[in-house]
Amino acid sequence: MSILPHAQIPSLGAQLQLYASMTPAKEVGGDLYDYFVHDNRLYFCIGDVAGKGVPAALFMTTVCGAFRLLAESETEPQRIISRMNDMLTRDTSMTIFVTFFAGVLDLDTGRLRYCNAGHIARAAHAHYGDN
């Protein structure tokens, strides 16, 4: 948990409020989220490294680092994730994988771009509208 962001969430104006919370199933694991503001864009991600324990937690730190590194020079979420995939799978025989969701919110225009790389949100009760 100490690896995840603990800094105060940046003030994003009256039109947008941002909150983050996570309750892990175990003390050490691969659940992750991160966020930061760069060039008046809010970059954020959520993900889950397959597995539990120290190996998943260590790979989670690599995933978060890759996200921050690549997002500093890229504004398109699908390109960030594609480059992350290339970086994380290069020269490795690991069988570990990550589900990941990344978004970029332009704070000037309100435009949200996102890419979902297999991260499925589950709710206790899902309600669907009539067609």
Side-chain angles (χ1 to χ4, degrees), residues 16-83:
L16 179 65
Q17 294 180 344
L18 180 65
Y19 300 92
S21 175
M22 187 172 79
T23 305
K26 287 184 161 187
E27 188 172 328
V28 177
D31 297 330
L32 66 98
Y33 71 90
D34 200 1
Y35 57 87
F36 64 95
V37 176
H38 178 67
D39 289 340
N40 216 35
R41 292 182 187 94
L42 172 66
Y43 291 78
F44 63 94
C45 65
I46 59 172
D48 186 13
V49 176
K52 299 292 181 207
V54 173
L58 289 174
F59 198 69
M60 180 263 294
T61 63
T62 303
V63 170
C64 287
F67 174 71
R68 282 185 172 253
L69 175 71
L70 295 170
E72 288 286 328
S73 62
E74 183 59 65
T75 61
E76 295 295 328
Q78 70 274 15
R79 291 176 63 183
I80 294 169
I81 289 177
S82 179
R83 291 182 65 199

Side-chain angles (χ1 to χ4, degrees), residues 77-96:
Q78 70 274 15
R79 291 176 63 183
I80 294 169
I81 289 177
S82 179
R83 291 182 65 199
M84 284 176 66
N85 186 62
D86 292 344
M87 179 186 290
L88 296 170
T89 58
R90 185 180 327 134
D91 301 324
T92 184
S93 61
M94 294 178 62
T95 57
I96 199 164

Side-chain angles (χ1 to χ4, degrees), residues 2-3 5 24 42 55 63 68-69 99 102 107 115:
S2 65
I3 297 169
L42 172 66
V63 170
R68 282 185 172 253
L69 175 71
T99 62
L107 297 174
C115 181

